[in-house]
Amino acid sequence: VKEYDVVVIGPSSAGLTALVTARRHFPATSILLIRDKEELPVTCGIPYAVSTVGDPRKGLVPVKRALSRYGVDDLVDKATALDRTNRTVSTASGSSVGYKRLVLATGSVPLVPSIPGLDKGNIFPITKDVSHLRDLINAVDRASRLCIVGGGYVGVEFAEECRKRRGNLHIDLVEMLAHILQHAYDKEFCLRAEEALRAQEINLHLDSTVRQFNGFKTVQRVELASGRQLRADMVILGLGMVANTELARKSGLELGPTGGIKVDKYMQTSDPNIFACGDCAEKVSFFDGAPSQLKLASIAVTEGRIAAANLFGKHRLNPGTVGVYSTYLGGKTLSGAGLTEAGAREKGYRTVVGVAKTVNRHPSAMPGAAMLEVKLVFSDQLTLLGGQVLGAESGGEIINLIAACIQQHMKADQIATMQVGTHPALTPDPVSYPLMNAAERALRQVPLATRSS
Ligand SMILES: Cc1cc2nc3c(=O)[nH]c(=O)nc-3n(C[C@H](O)[C@H](O)[C@H](O)COP(=O)(O)OP(=O)(O)OC[C@H]3O[C@@H](n4cnc5c(N)ncnc54)[C@H](O)[C@@H]3O)c2cc1C
């Protein structure tokens, strides 16, 4: 049995980052990647395969190139069992490899609740599989009425992409909560996202749950709990993802309260030689250490960097998940980081909010001018807890600045006096830069004498 210093299982955001980081931190180690598929789509780009990119094969992760660049061996095979005593991994085709340290980056699979009628044809969960996505796109081309179940970012991105591909397709979107994207944005931002979808003739059914799928061989109607029947000859399920812990569970590793592989702050599992990162790993909130269901590529990459750096000694700590999202709807950026105002209150914070709007160029006669709106959510101690940005494309990077401020526990006063770079063709005017102005507006609500520094 060939033994490697490091074996990584899973080639996506978490696994690839872990093996590159392991190579950077431990240049002399031997590293092997085990992956169960030759082709892997860039997961965040999956919805855009429908129209903007047009083909799932055009958006593949360049795994082979990365492996040869970083001197990592490759085994395309499914890891099926771990022998933790002898530190070996066995695979579906019967091979076996040894490891000193193992990184599990086995990701997630679609959440498919047990709704009656799920076995009917033309119902598509979103898997990270090229041929499944091809089938889905072919079905979109043949469908006349599509129903998307789930109004999270996957559901809404698919809705918009299917509309772009087929102008005459009837599209219904069913969301259980009062608003789409409600987990990531406050109501005023959700309403704007809903407007953007309705403007594209995507019919929203909010506060609605699916009771069953009706039809014969293939789906014909989606029955809601209200009794209403939506005619549909195709369904896309965007209901979230669950940790893929099959291998970990079979090998007796402990799982956490949300069903992910239990890890400590170093990303070490209940077996000190095994680390886990990405969607398969259990997470806790940055804000209060409570179990967190968040599953994002950006989190997977951070965890991959932490896990790999700790393989042969404890160097990096995971502070917990902040949650930074961006989407692009109706030609506008919609981004959020940390806690929403509603989410912060649910966690027991008393909040102070500041909002600022401006143009993303100066003067506004510059080409490419578009509005940018920023909302910042602070605790009553004026520590930044969250932010939301709507409008111009640069909002997708301003949210990252906000996320950095959250991670540094920055106070409103520090944000109001932050130094940033500006340019007429690239950014808002420094005088009206929305981040500082939103912080100033929050500060204005708290009398000077009561502010803690
Ligand atoms: C449609 C869609 C859009 C998204 N958009 C965004 C976005 O815009 N921004 C964002 O931050 N996040 C987004 N996400 C979430 C993001 O894709 C995931 O958080 C990210 O892919 C997690 O990466 P991962 O490496 O942990 O796992 P995965 O991407 O799930 O990869 C796990 C890999 O391991 C392989 N594997 C599993 N078991 C085995 C085994 N036993 N042997 C060998 N190989 C195995 C799998 O085949 C897979 O290739 C999106 C997700 C979806 C589905």
Side-chain angles (χ1 to χ4, degrees):
V1 172
K2 181 159 181 191
E3 188 188 271
Y4 286 86
D5 296 318
V6 178
V7 172
V8 176
I9 304 179
S12 188
S13 316
L16 265 194
T17 308
L19 62 85
V20 170
T21 309
R23 170 59 69 239
R24 286 180 176 145
H25 286 240
F26 312 107
T29 50
S30 55
I31 308 176
L32 171 73
L33 173 69
I34 304 180
R35 53 188 178 125
D36 56 3
K37 283 186 213 92
E38 194 64 65
E39 290 183 325
L40 174 72
V42 172
T43 42
C44 308
I46 285 174
Y48 300 99
V50 175
S51 177
T52 304
V53 174
D55 180 348
R57 294 217 61 240
K58 282 195 196 154
L60 300 179
V61 181
V63 179
K64 274 214 162 82
R65 206 167 63 212
L67 298 187
S68 80
R69 177 161 175 210
Y70 290 97
V72 172
D73 286 354
D74 187 18
L75 176 61
V76 180
D77 205 345
K78 181 171 175 160
T80 48
L82 307 180
D83 174 345
R84 296 202 281 124
T85 313
N86 296 307
R87 296 194 203 170
T88 56
V89 183
S90 339
T91 66
S93 69
S95 52
S96 188
V97 283
Y99 62 85
K100 285 202 179 87
R101 297 289 183 275
L102 179 68
V103 178
L104 295 176
T106 50
S108 56
V109 290
L111 170 70
V112 183
S114 53
I115 303 171
L118 259 179
D119 54 333
K120 310 236 172 288
N122 262 8
I123 299 181
F124 291 84
I126 305 301
T127 63
K128 300 157 190 172
D129 180 86
V130 173
S131 69
H132 173 82
L133 291 170
R134 272 247 172 87
D135 292 346
L136 182 152
I137 294 170
N138 289 337
V140 171
D141 285 341
R142 287 192 307 265
S144 54
R145 297 180 73 95
L146 165 67
C147 179
I148 297 176
V149 186
Y153 61 88
V154 172
V156 303
E157 288 174 4
F158 264 97
E160 199 176 80
E161 281 291 299
C162 291
R163 165 59 68 237
K164 270 196 201 159
R165 190 172 178 100
R166 296 274 318 280
N168 59 352
L169 183 64
H170 177 96
I171 305 179
D172 288 307
L173 189 148
V174 179
E175 166 57 50
M176 189 171 81
L177 300 175
H179 297 285
I180 62 166
L181 300 171
Q182 194 174 308
H183 287 305
Y185 305 98
D186 282 312
K187 184 174 166 186
E188 66 274 24
F189 286 80
C190 298
L191 288 172
R192 310 274 284 283
E194 287 164 10
E195 246 171 61
L197 291 185
R198 287 193 179 110
Q200 300 173 65
E201 292 184 37
I202 293 160
N203 306 298
L204 303 181
H205 304 270
L206 305 174
D207 267 325
S208 302
T209 31
V210 173
R211 184 192 287 159
Q212 63 181 20
F213 298 105
N214 297 323
F216 294 102
K217 228 173 142 197
T218 59
V219 65
Q220 290 181 333
R221 285 177 318 282
V222 177
E223 185 179 323
L224 304 182
S226 62
R228 185 164 176 197
Q229 304 252 0
L230 303 173
R231 279 199 292 135
D233 50 12
M234 173 178 184
V235 168
I236 293 177
L237 301 175
L239 296 168
M241 308 295 284
V242 284
N244 174 12
T245 55
E246 192 190 346
L247 189 59
R249 242 183 310 118
K250 276 200 304 195
S251 347
L253 291 175
E254 283 178 41
L255 302 185
T258 79
I261 303 168
K262 187 174 166 191
V263 286
D264 63 10
K265 283 185 180 299
Y266 302 96
M267 309 308 299
Q268 201 168 29
T269 67
S270 50
D271 179 328
N273 299 312
I274 304 180
F275 292 71
C277 50
D279 284 4
C280 67
E282 184 69 25
K283 307 192 191 312
V284 294
S285 162
F286 170 82
F287 298 96
D288 58 3
S292 164
Q293 298 271 13
L294 289 180
K295 290 183 177 54
L296 288 167
S298 49
I299 298 172
V301 163
T302 301
E303 291 183 352
R305 289 207 173 101
I306 296 169
N310 292 333
L311 287 174
F312 299 100
K314 295 181 172 176
H315 298 290
R316 282 183 174 164
L317 271 175
N318 185 354
T321 57
V322 173
V324 192
Y325 314 82
S326 278
T327 190
Y328 192 63
L329 283 186
K332 283 189 182 155
T333 300
L334 181 58
S335 302
L339 303 180
T340 58
E341 188 182 356
R345 291 207 175 131
E346 266 167 40
K347 280 195 183 281
Y349 289 100
R350 279 183 298 180
T351 55
V352 181
V353 167
V355 176
K357 275 187 203 176
T358 190
V359 180
N360 67 335
R361 301 279 186 268
H362 57 289
S364 56
M366 286 293 284
M371 287 306 288
L372 255 179
E373 190 175 331
V374 172
K375 172 176 179 175
L376 296 181
V377 179
F378 294 91
S379 71
D380 58 356
Q381 300 301 302
L382 290 168
T383 303
L384 186 64
L385 299 173
Q388 289 156 69
V389 184
L390 176 73
E393 281 183 15
S394 53
E397 288 302 341
I398 290 184
I399 201 66
N400 292 334
L401 195 53
I402 294 175
C405 295
I406 297 171
Q407 287 165 73
Q408 295 309 313
H409 305 279
M410 282 176 77
K411 299 265 187 178
D413 223 17
Q414 293 172 307
I415 297 171
T417 53
M418 215 162 74
Q419 302 180 31
V420 296
T422 58
H423 183 273
L426 302 172
T427 69
D429 186 320
V431 178
S432 59
Y433 202 89
L435 193 52
M436 289 69 155
N437 281 309
E440 288 282 31
R441 295 220 165 100
L443 278 164
R444 209 170 55 189
Q445 297 169 46
V446 181
L448 252 184
T450 63
R451 285 182 208 162
S452 59
S453 54

